[in-house]
Amino acid sequence: MSQHHQPSTLAELGRTWIEVWNARDLERVLTLYADDVVMTSDRIPAMGFDESGTVRGKDVLRAYWGKALGLLPNLHFSLIELFVSPDSVAVLYENERGKRICEYLRVNAAGKIVQGSANHLPH
């Protein structure tokens, strides 16, 4: 059972998420996530990880993102908007290639991300 988080706390998490990605500090990114995190993205099978598009656990997530960062030397996210619910933040941003992405981040009672979904435009 997740508890309600303050909108300001969730918005801050979203801003921090953008900042740590832009710092290219994978270990700092991972500190925002719970050990049992589940992450879903169409990039996961494209990068040679699980065909389902979902990876489970921080260790697999580290391997996936480590590979991705190695291929994206110019990675940079520009925040467009943040949306909050009692247990999640959705981060709408633009990447270094001008693509808009909405990242859904659900948090547990401790405020760590337990579920992440990268949502891309369908074209």
Side-chain angles (χ1 to χ4, degrees):
M1 185 74 185
S2 61
Q3 66 185 34
H4 291 324
H5 293 274
Q6 291 296 321
S8 58
T9 304
L10 289 159
E12 186 59 34
L13 173 63
R15 282 190 289 271
T16 300
W17 186 89
I18 291 278
E19 286 168 15
V20 294
W21 272 116
N22 286 342
R24 300 181 60 82
D25 189 337
L26 182 53
E27 290 306 315
R28 271 182 67 209
V29 171
L30 288 161
T31 63
L32 302 178
Y33 288 78
D35 289 339
D36 60 348
V37 59
V38 176
M39 174 71 203
T40 303
S41 171
D42 64 359
R43 303 304 304 150
I44 289 169
M47 294 283 294
F49 288 82
D50 202 287
E51 282 301 312
S52 70
T54 296
V55 294
R56 297 171 189 279
K58 202 182 270 196
D59 291 340
V60 185
L61 199 54
R62 179 183 284 110
Y64 161 56
W65 279 338
K67 183 174 180 180
L69 275 172
L71 297 172
L72 297 168
N74 302 316
L75 178 137
H76 185 83
F77 297 161
S78 300
L79 180 62
I80 299 169
E81 196 63 87
L82 294 166
F83 305 86
V84 298
S85 85
D87 72 347
S88 68
V89 56
V91 184
L92 177 63
Y93 65 97
E94 190 172 276
N95 70 13
E96 70 286 350
R97 297 187 303 283
K99 300 285 187 191
R100 287 189 168 201
I101 302 161
C102 188
E103 192 93 14
Y104 168 79
L105 304 169
R106 187 169 59 83
V107 300
N108 61 16
K112 297 289 186 185
I113 300 163
V114 288
Q115 180 189 351
S117 299
N119 295 267
H120 300 90
L121 290 165
H123 54 71

